[in-house]
Structures are given as C-alpha cells and as structure tokens.
C-alpha cells in the first residue's frame, strides 16, 4: 500500500464525506454550503471540497480570502463565500475571481463598493448580522438599515444575509431561540420593505441537525460533514460516518530493566522488567503534550502512552502484546478490530473539542485519500 513507506499518516475517506453531504441534503432539503476552512478542519481542503461538490454541495465556505483563492487556483468554479473579514484591498480581486465576501459593517461595505465601482465592477456580498454571537456583523437592531444601505452601493451585488449561532450545539438552551427571533426580525423588516435578499442563511452543523426553523435558503455545515459531532450534546445521527483516521507505526520494541526511566523528565519509570514500544508520533504532529492523557490502539487493544510526549515520538507498554513487532500499524484516531478511538475521545482527554483536535493535525502528516 501507499502508506507502507510512512510512519505517521492520515487516511481520509472521501466516500464518507460524500455520504455526510448527502445526509445534509436529505435532512434539510436545502442547498448545502460545505465549510472547508482551515484545510477542511485538517482533512485537506482541495480533496474535501471536490468530494463535497461531487455529492451535491453547491457552495464552499472558507474563513479567509487566501483559502478562497486557493480553491479558484485549483480550478473550482462553485460559489465560494468568505465567512471572515476581508481587507478592502482584496475586493476587486474577489470580484474578478467571483468570490463572495461577507460585509461585517457599513463602512467596510462602502470600502468594497468604492474599490469595485471605480473599476466598473460589482463584488458579490452577503451581509452579516450579529444576532447574539458577539463576533462579526451588525447588531440585529440595526440590521435592516445596514442591509438597505448596502443595497444602494454601486459596487456591491448584495445577494445574501446571514447570522451565526453561539450555542446551537447545546440544544434545549434558549439562546438560539433568542438569536432566531432577532435574526427573523431583520429578515421580516426587509421582506416588508420588499428588499429581502435571495439567500438568507444561519445554520451551522448543530442547527442543521437540530433546528429546522433555521434552515432558510441554505445551510452551512462544517464539523458534521467530516462525520464528527458538533458537541456531545448535539451528536450526528446514525448514518453519518467519520472521515478521518490517524495512524502511526511501532518503531522500536525492546525490554527495559526494572526501574528504568522512560522519556524526557523520566515521568514514567518501569515498575519491573517491561517491554516498551516507541511510536512515530509526537506533539509536532498534533498529539498534545499532556501527561497520562493519550492512548492508542495496538493489536486491537487500547494502550496508554507512557511518560512525556516528545516532538516526534511517544512510548507505550507492550507487555500484553508479545507478538508486537517494529512496523506494526498503530491507530491514534479510528478503528482497529473492535477497538476505537474517536476525535471526541482525544478532545475529552485533552480538555478541548474535536474541532481543535483535527485542526491541530500538522501539515507534515501526509494525507492519503481513499474512495
Ligand atoms: C465555521 C463556521 C460554520 C461551520 O460551523 P460548524 O460548527 O463546523 O458546522 C458555519 N458558519 C460560520 C460563519 C462559520 O464560521
């Protein structure tokens, strides 16, 4: 296999990603914007975008202009929305490349407009309403006026209005209801003025799964298209499949005498003669340098990582695996036989969220695409 020559790699199951996009199309019955920012949450932006579009997604969502440009350079013709702030100096380039920008404040919209109108162009934009996230966008109370103002700008083609939820991954809390009420207030006012933009959208993964009232004209799932749970309280339904596996190999197997220190700082000492293995994974690959928090699957068993995580290596106890040999495949995220470690398991062990786990997988780890 192509992975035979490697000691640390990711396997990305593109058919799982296509399956997850089809799930969203069927659950929401709306156009799907596949959010592929941050190298597709670590999964590989170009390959993930291609699979998402093959499965029927019609938009790609990115955080930054340079991600949008990388997609255009790779030949993608699909609609692209930059979800984050873009400097006005990029507006004309966005117009040229048919990249849609988010307008986060009136004066920023004016600056985009001036840059494009001066060249006889219009840039496609979506207006961002802050309905309760406290991040980008105009507060809902000023939202309708903001959008009506942008509609008058000669260099803008205002196509959409959207908002983003702060707590949709905690179903049952009232915050999302409050955000929905503020956002629909803006949309209703625009409708009453006869100026409702063509594309209204709000739903991230959690809302796409748990808030049908937030679907509007388009949904914007990210984490769940990779088969991962938006949160433990908002899991993906059966039918979603995890896209990513992370693997390494045993690179050393040997007996250490009793009382022998293991790894930097000797934070672990062998209690007796012990068979110790080394693995080719460390914090430079995205494994957190947290003591007694990591584990892996070897020979279908879950083993703890012993002692300090090094930059490129960790050690494991192999006493229960007398057959273990240098070169054996080891799973860090994924399945091996009946055993499994999920990105959620790592997130729980590290005190973070699965998003940070996969986004933290380093660029040096090669990605192998399947199916
Ligand atoms: C990242 C992002 C999304 C996707 O969020 P998930 O929780 O990964 O589904 C949607 N919309 C905006 C504005 C985002 O920044």
């Amino acid at each position: 296999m192509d992975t035979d020559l490697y000691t640390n790699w990711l396997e990305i199951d593109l058919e799982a990603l296509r399956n997850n996009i089809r799930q969203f199309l069927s659950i929401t019955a709306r156009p799907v914007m596949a959010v592929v920012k941050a190298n597709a949450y670590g999964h590989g932006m170009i390959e993930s975008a291609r699979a998402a579009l093959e499965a029927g997604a019609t938009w790609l969502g990115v955080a930054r202009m340079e991600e949008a440009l990388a997609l255009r350079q790779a030949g993608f013709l699909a609609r692209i929305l930059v979800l984050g702030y873009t400097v006005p100096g990029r507006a004309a380039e966005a117009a040229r490349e048919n990249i849609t920008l988010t307008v986060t404040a009136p004066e920023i919209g004016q600056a985009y407009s001036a840059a494009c109108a001066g060249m006889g162009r219009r840039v496609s934009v979506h207006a961002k309403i802050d309905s309760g996230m406290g991040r980008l966008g105009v507060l809902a109370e000023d939202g309708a006026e903001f959008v009506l103002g942008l509609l008058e700008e000669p260099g803008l083609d205002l196509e959409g209005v959207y908002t983003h939820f702060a707590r949709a991954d905690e179903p049952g809390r009232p915050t999302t209801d409050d955000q929905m009420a503020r956002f629909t207030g803006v949309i209703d006012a625009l409708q009453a003025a006869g100026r409702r933009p063509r594309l209204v959208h709000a739903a991230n993964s959690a809302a796409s799964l748990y808030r049908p009232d937030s679907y509007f004209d388009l949904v914007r799932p990210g984490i769940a298209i990779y088969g991962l749970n938006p949160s433990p309280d908002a899991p993906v339904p059966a039918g979603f499949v995890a896209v990513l596996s992370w693997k390494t190999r045993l690179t050393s197997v040997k007996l250490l005498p009793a009382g022998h220190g293991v790894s930097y700082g000797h934070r672990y000492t062998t209690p007796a003669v012990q068979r110790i293995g080394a693995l080719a994974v460390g914090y430079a690959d995205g494994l957190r340098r947290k003591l007694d928090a990591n584990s892996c699957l070897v020979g279908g068993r879950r083993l703890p990582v012993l002692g300090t995580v090094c930059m490129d290596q960790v050690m494991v106890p192999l006493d229960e695996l007398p057959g273990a040999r240098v070169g054996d495949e080891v799973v860090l995220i994924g399945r091996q036989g009946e055993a499994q470690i999920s990105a959620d398991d790592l997130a729980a062990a590290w005190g973070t969220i699965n998003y940070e786990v996969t986004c933290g997988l380093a660029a040096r780890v090669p990605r192998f695409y399947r199916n």
Side-chain angles (χ1 to χ4, degrees):
M1 260 214 315
D2 43 5
T3 54
D4 285 353
L5 302 178
Y6 293 85
T7 57
N8 190 323
W9 71 95
L10 302 179
E11 293 177 13
I12 313 289
D13 181 352
L14 294 175
E15 182 51 26
L17 198 156
R18 285 187 213 99
N19 165 79
N20 300 336
I21 293 286
R22 290 192 292 264
Q23 296 282 325
F24 273 118
L25 287 166
S26 121
I27 289 169
T28 67
R30 295 296 190 284
V32 169
M33 175 186 295
V35 178
V36 294
K37 61 191 179 189
N39 199 27
Y41 296 43
H43 294 66
M45 181 174 70
I46 300 299
E47 294 79 1
S48 298
R50 185 173 299 122
L53 295 171
E54 284 165 359
T58 40
W59 280 79
L60 299 170
V62 295
R64 303 197 182 140
M65 181 66 175
E66 51 269 35
E67 296 174 322
L69 288 170
L71 288 166
R72 283 286 179 259
Q73 274 150 24
F76 289 98
L77 300 174
R79 299 297 307 275
I80 302 174
L81 175 63
V82 179
L83 298 162
Y85 166 78
T86 303
V87 301
R90 291 278 208 184
E93 194 177 13
R96 241 182 353 257
E97 296 288 342
N98 189 30
I99 291 166
T100 303
L101 300 181
T102 295
V103 182
T104 56
E107 59 282 8
I108 294 164
Q110 288 154 15
Y112 293 165
S113 177
C116 293
M119 309 176 52
R121 283 185 171 276
R122 297 208 293 166
V123 62
S124 168
V125 294
H126 289 200
K128 183 77 183 282
I129 305 299
D130 187 347
S131 62
M133 177 73 179
R135 196 170 67 176
L136 298 181
V138 169
L139 292 178
E141 62 218 60
D142 304 318
E145 195 191 333
F146 167 50
V147 173
L148 293 172
L150 296 179
L151 283 165
E152 301 304 316
E153 288 293 335
L156 300 184
D157 177 12
L158 184 108
E159 176 191 39
V161 184
Y162 76 102
T163 194
H164 190 55
F165 295 125
R167 305 185 75 170
D169 59 336
E170 303 170 80
R173 289 192 187 264
T175 317
T176 307
D177 297 324
D178 297 343
Q179 286 198 252
M180 278 294 293
R182 290 190 204 109
F183 184 58
T184 49
V186 175
I187 303 308
D188 290 348
L190 292 171
Q191 180 91 55
R195 314 299 302 272
R196 180 194 190 276
R198 191 171 71 76
L199 288 178
V200 172
H201 51 107
N204 57 4
S205 295
S208 298
L209 297 171
Y210 291 95
R211 294 292 304 225
D213 58 334
S214 75
Y215 292 170
F216 299 103
D217 306 314
L218 179 76
V219 293
R220 304 191 309 266
I223 193 77
I225 72 173
Y226 308 105
L228 302 175
N229 298 322
S231 77
D233 295 328
V236 292
F240 281 76
V241 181
V243 171
L244 176 147
S245 303
W246 186 15
K247 298 183 178 174
T248 179
R249 294 188 190 282
L250 271 171
T251 56
S252 162
V253 177
K254 68 178 184 237
L255 282 178
L256 287 183
H260 200 288
V262 172
S263 194
Y264 292 118
H266 286 179
R267 309 282 281 277
Y268 180 82
T269 303
T270 54
V273 174
Q274 193 170 23
R275 184 180 302 277
I276 296 290
L279 307 178
V281 61
Y283 59 77
D285 301 300
L287 192 75
R288 284 269 180 96
R289 189 180 172 282
K290 189 170 176 191
L291 200 63
D292 301 332
N294 296 304
S295 59
C296 60
L297 306 178
V298 187
R301 279 174 191 265
R302 191 166 176 148
L303 301 180
V305 164
L306 301 177
T308 304
V309 174
C310 308
M311 186 184 291
D312 318 294
Q313 310 190 60
V314 295
M315 272 62 84
V316 294
L318 295 175
D319 309 284
E320 293 167 15
L321 291 164
R325 295 285 177 272
V326 168
D328 286 359
E329 192 171 296
V330 176
V331 170
L332 300 161
I333 297 176
R335 292 181 173 282
Q336 195 180 59
E338 298 294 293
Q340 186 184 358
I341 297 176
S342 66
D344 278 330
D345 293 333
L346 277 185
W350 296 348
T352 184
I353 56 174
N354 54 13
Y355 295 68
E356 196 185 356
V357 173
T358 63
C359 287
L361 294 169
R364 81 163 176 183
V365 181
R367 274 81 172 152
F368 289 91
Y369 297 92
R370 306 282 187 234
N371 306 315

